[in-house]
Amino acid sequence: MDHITFLVAVVIVTALAFDFTNGFHDTANAMATSIATGALRPRTAVLISGVLNIGGAFLSTEVARTISGGIVDDTLVTPGMIFAGLVGAILWNLTTWLLGLPSSSSHALFGGLIGAVWVGAGAHGVHFDKVAEKVLIPAVASPLVAGVAALIATYLAYRITAGAREKSVTKGFRLGQIASASLVSLAHGTNDAQKTMGVITLTLISAGALGHDAGPPLWVIASAGLAIGLGTYLGGWRIIRTMGKGLTDIRSPQGFAAEASSTAVILTSAHLGFALSTTQVCSGGILGAGLGRRLAEVRWGTAGRMALAWLVTLPAAALVGGLSASVVTHGGNLGIAVIALVALAVAAFIVLVSRRDPVHASNVNETHEVGLRGPSPAGASA
């Protein structure tokens, strides 16, 4: 424990804070469609999702190893750089949560780390080939694969049940959604909790507490799982509303198809060590399910704004991470204190603004149009 300095402890706490925001930012990935179709009550849904996120954290560590020893050179990284990168990721998560935009927490984390290491250690500190292989290519391919799979599954679901009573079909698929949404939550914990494990492991390696290429210790796995589980239970209702009601009119067969397709993509990628965005996968699945039902409405304006947010997430978080790393590098402990205070002030401001137009379990299923300009005066929450 001699290697756990005050700075390292601060970085670990900040990483767990990011994990917490990752949880409430991404609750919608697993539960938005089940809440929208009435398969699960909102509070029950987030409780189930939170518990299964914790369980999923213990299933694999391949993604964690990608973070800790893949996209950046762990021999050049310092705890201060990691702290700066986490600040960029947290602020982007909070901003997009306020707007109700299902952006990628994963890409926010990668962007923050890449920007911070680039500024702090130089371009050679970033393994751009690994970034392309493990992050960028999956970012393009995974939502397309999930979308096509969900489209086909939705089409088949309606063809197979064409002669059945609608009430019976709805009831059956709602029961199926409970299982499929639970699997998405388990898969989310397997994929996303590992990213924080990787960051903490990278911090411990950089501080000399762990050897090069070491995997996450058990206490890191447990704390990361608990943090993302608690964040998931908090709800993230703004983004649940966008994904459940903002993209398309979801019915039970579509919800089941979207969730099952997303689970398959996420678990496969986690096994291969691809640190993909579960948000993009699940959004792709929902869009595919919307296209798979005849006469279903797909709100392409909302989808386009989401895609724009996906494009700017990594560079925006990288910019904040890089600026923070510059202050930390030149200011030492004083620089870290300044960045921490600024980040806390911005986070507090975002939370205060969100209270002007609250979204919670009782109004989460109200239809709305998501935008990039924040909550509208009329009270239709983003």
Side-chain angles (χ1 to χ4, degrees):
M1 298 295 290
D2 293 340
H3 297 282
I4 309 298
T5 63
F6 177 74
L7 175 56
V8 170
V10 168
V11 175
I12 292 172
V13 170
T14 307
L16 293 175
F18 164 78
D19 204 23
F20 183 81
T21 66
N22 191 166
F24 74 72
H25 197 280
D26 287 6
T27 309
N29 297 346
M31 292 299 173
T33 54
S34 293
I35 291 172
T37 63
L40 287 168
R41 294 180 180 274
R43 284 293 181 189
T44 302
V46 296
L47 176 60
I48 292 172
S49 187
V51 171
L52 289 174
N53 264 282
I54 295 173
F58 289 89
L59 295 183
S60 172
T61 59
E62 291 303 315
V63 174
R65 290 178 180 275
T66 296
I67 305 297
S68 63
I71 64 173
V72 294
D73 188 341
D74 59 22
T75 63
L76 299 177
V77 174
T78 65
M81 295 178 200
I82 299 172
F83 172 76
L86 288 167
V87 168
I90 291 171
L91 293 182
W92 182 256
N93 268 359
L94 290 175
T95 300
T96 50
W97 163 74
L98 177 66
L99 297 174
L101 284 169
S103 69
S104 171
S105 297
S106 304
H107 290 175
L109 176 60
F110 302 146
L113 284 176
I114 290 169
V117 174
W118 196 340
V119 169
H124 59 284
V126 181
H127 298 154
F128 289 102
D129 57 335
K130 290 294 183 181
V131 172
E133 175 191 350
K134 297 289 189 178
V135 179
L136 299 182
I137 293 176
V140 175
S142 58
L144 294 176
V145 172
V148 171
L151 187 154
I152 296 171
T154 300
Y155 173 79
L156 291 175
Y158 278 104
R159 284 297 299 268
I160 292 170
T161 60
R165 294 173 55 195
E166 183 177 353
K167 185 176 181 180
S168 298
V169 171
T170 299
K171 182 179 179 180
F173 276 108
R174 280 183 176 177
L175 291 173
Q177 274 195 276
I178 296 174
S180 59
S182 297
L183 284 174
V184 176
S185 296
L186 193 69
H188 182 266
T190 302
N191 193 280
D192 279 42
Q194 288 192 61
K195 292 158 189 171
T196 298
M197 295 179 208
V199 170
I200 296 176
T201 302
L202 179 61
T203 303
L204 295 173
I205 291 172
S206 68
L210 291 176
H212 181 68
D213 288 335
L218 180 60
W219 70 267
V220 172
I221 297 172
S223 59
L226 183 61
I228 201 169
L230 289 173
T232 300
Y233 180 68
L234 186 65
W237 303 110
R238 293 174 179 272
I239 299 174
I240 291 176
R241 179 191 280 185
T242 297
M243 291 184 71
K245 292 293 185 180
L247 281 174
T248 186
D249 297 316
I250 287 286
R251 297 181 183 177
S252 296
Q254 296 166 281
F256 176 79
E259 290 160 359
S261 302
S262 299
T263 300
V265 173
I266 295 168
L267 286 178
T268 301
S269 298
H271 178 70
L272 295 173
F274 292 136
L276 53 70
S277 165
T278 53
T279 299
Q280 293 180 3
V281 172
C282 294
S283 298
I286 292 172
L287 285 173
L291 292 170
R293 178 168 70 88
R294 186 181 179 187
L295 302 180
E297 178 189 2
V298 175
R299 299 180 182 92
W300 292 110
T302 299
R305 285 184 281 275
M306 283 173 49
L308 178 61
W310 293 354
L311 288 174
V312 302
T313 291
L314 198 148
L319 178 62
V320 177
L323 290 174
S324 300
S326 179
V327 175
V328 169
T329 301
H330 294 95
N333 290 336
L334 178 60
I336 291 172
V338 168
I339 291 299
L341 290 174
V342 171
L344 287 172
V346 173
F349 174 76
I350 290 173
V351 172
L352 287 174
V353 170
S354 73
R355 292 183 177 179
R356 295 169 51 190
D357 185 27
V359 182
H360 40 72
S362 61
N363 68 359
V364 69
N365 274 337
E366 293 178 4
T367 304
H368 82 304
E369 182 75 12
V370 68
L372 288 173
R373 297 180 180 176
S376 68
S381 171

